[in-house]
Amino acid sequence: MAKSQDARERILALERIRVVETELVQHSTALIRRLELDLVQHLGRELPATLIRLLHRGEEWWRPKRRGHAIDDPRAFPIVFEVVQAIESESPSAWQPDPSRQQGVSYQDLVPPLQKLLDKRTELARIAGVN
């Protein structure tokens, strides 16, 4: 009985992962739009295509988050951290997330929900036995 219960839990976790992954895509897309606006403003020109492609790398968003960043700092996501480092190498100043609302949203509205979804996906993947 325990084996069938474990199998059932893994199957349910796999099904819930699909839902969470859809939400991850939706939330990361909104964050990408905001980041593109802010990073273009910081750099003073359009972002290089390589960095835009890096931001849009889907599952790369699902890597474990980086520690040591404020709750609303998008650099907690390794993909954003990489892009910001690349931009800072071409800019005379360090980039900081703008706390104000742009087009009605702030990083506080975007980052914490995405982090919660990432944590949820990580936990479901553990239960399901997948990476």
Side-chain angles (χ1 to χ4, degrees):
M1 185 69 161
K3 284 186 180 187
S4 66
Q5 181 65 23
D6 287 345
R8 186 177 190 296
E9 282 183 34
R10 284 194 298 272
I11 290 168
L12 289 174
L14 284 170
E15 290 175 1
R16 292 192 343 240
I17 283 174
R18 288 192 332 211
V19 172
V20 170
E21 287 177 349
T22 299
E23 293 176 11
L24 275 167
V25 169
Q26 292 168 341
H27 281 76
S28 63
T29 300
L31 180 56
I32 290 168
R33 281 194 303 266
R34 172 66 194 263
L35 281 166
E36 286 178 336
L37 292 171
D38 286 355
L39 294 172
V40 162
Q41 184 176 11
H42 177 80
L43 195 56
R45 60 181 167 84
E46 290 299 312
L47 295 178
T50 54
L51 295 181
I52 291 172
R53 281 194 301 275
L54 186 60
L55 276 177
H56 288 271
R57 272 172 135 182
E59 293 182 12
E60 287 291 316
W61 278 87
W62 305 342
R63 297 187 327 214
K65 63 185 178 217
R66 297 173 44 85
R67 304 270 181 232
H69 293 280
I71 193 161
D72 61 345
D73 190 334
R75 292 174 294 188
F77 301 106
I79 196 88
V80 175
F81 186 78
E82 289 174 40
V83 169
V84 168
Q85 279 188 316
I87 287 179
E88 287 178 340
S89 72
E90 297 181 25
S91 172
S93 61
W95 179 81
Q96 291 295 318
D98 181 353
S100 67
R101 292 188 170 278
Q102 300 291 329
Q103 298 178 345
V105 295
S106 69
Y107 285 114
Q108 182 67 38
D109 300 325
L110 298 169
V111 175
L114 190 55
Q115 288 178 337
K116 286 179 185 173
L117 286 168
L118 178 60
D119 291 343
K120 188 174 186 178
R121 186 199 183 280
T122 301
E123 177 60 19
L124 289 169
R126 186 193 62 73
I127 292 167
V130 296
N131 291 335

